Amino acid sequence: QVQLVESGGGSVQAGSSLRLSCAASGQFFSDLNVAWFRQGPGKEREFLAAIDWSGNGESYESSVKGRFFISRNNAKNTAYLQMNSLSPEDTAVYYCGADDNWGRTLAGLLRTWGRGTQVLG
């Protein structure tokens, strides 16, 4: 079973950029779709972006489209979330998750989750 570890979080100034990483261990990462979610203080977890197993299909939540970009490198068993023009409203714990079903991926019903990385905007 794959395990996921997020990294790259930290404190950022308004307008700056940050790239989060989601490193996978175990087998079959290249068979899995990956999604990024976040949960801000006092808020529910919200979907940000997803990428399919091949890297050719992507989906974004409308509020971050054009500002956040998801990618993956299957040779490195890693997915990424590039975040630009950060603001205090982006303060949250950011999670990555993986699943072999695209519908479940978009709905946040992922079988595997990381523990999250904190971003302070």
Side-chain angles (χ1 to χ4, degrees):
Q1 183 175 349
V2 68
Q3 294 182 330
L4 305 174
V5 178
E6 302 92 336
S7 63
S11 297
V12 296
Q13 293 185 340
S16 64
S17 298
L18 203 60
R19 188 177 80 159
L20 305 181
S21 297
C22 173
S25 61
Q27 296 179 315
F28 309 122
F29 174 75
S30 59
D31 293 338
L32 300 176
N33 310 304
V34 175
W36 285 94
F37 286 71
R38 70 182 177 188
Q39 187 165 16
K43 299 180 180 179
E44 295 185 353
R45 186 175 296 188
E46 65 171 332
F47 169 79
L48 298 174
I51 188 166
D52 73 3
W53 62 273
S54 71
N56 293 325
E58 299 174 7
S59 179
Y60 292 92
E61 200 277 330
S62 59
S63 68
V64 302
K65 192 172 185 178
R67 193 164 65 95
F68 288 9
F69 299 93
I70 191 170
S71 62
R72 68 189 295 161
N73 185 330
N74 286 341
K76 294 185 177 181
N77 278 3
T78 304
Y80 306 95
L81 184 68
Q82 176 68 41
M83 307 187 295
N84 301 324
S85 302
L86 290 167
S87 73
E89 287 69 34
D90 295 311
T91 294
V93 178
Y94 286 71
Y95 300 90
C96 67
D99 197 279
D100 59 359
N101 182 278
W102 186 241
R104 283 202 301 266
T105 300
L106 296 180
L109 302 174
L110 299 117
R111 291 183 178 178
T112 303
W113 289 92
R115 293 190 174 186
T117 184
Q118 176 77 56
V119 173
L120 294 172

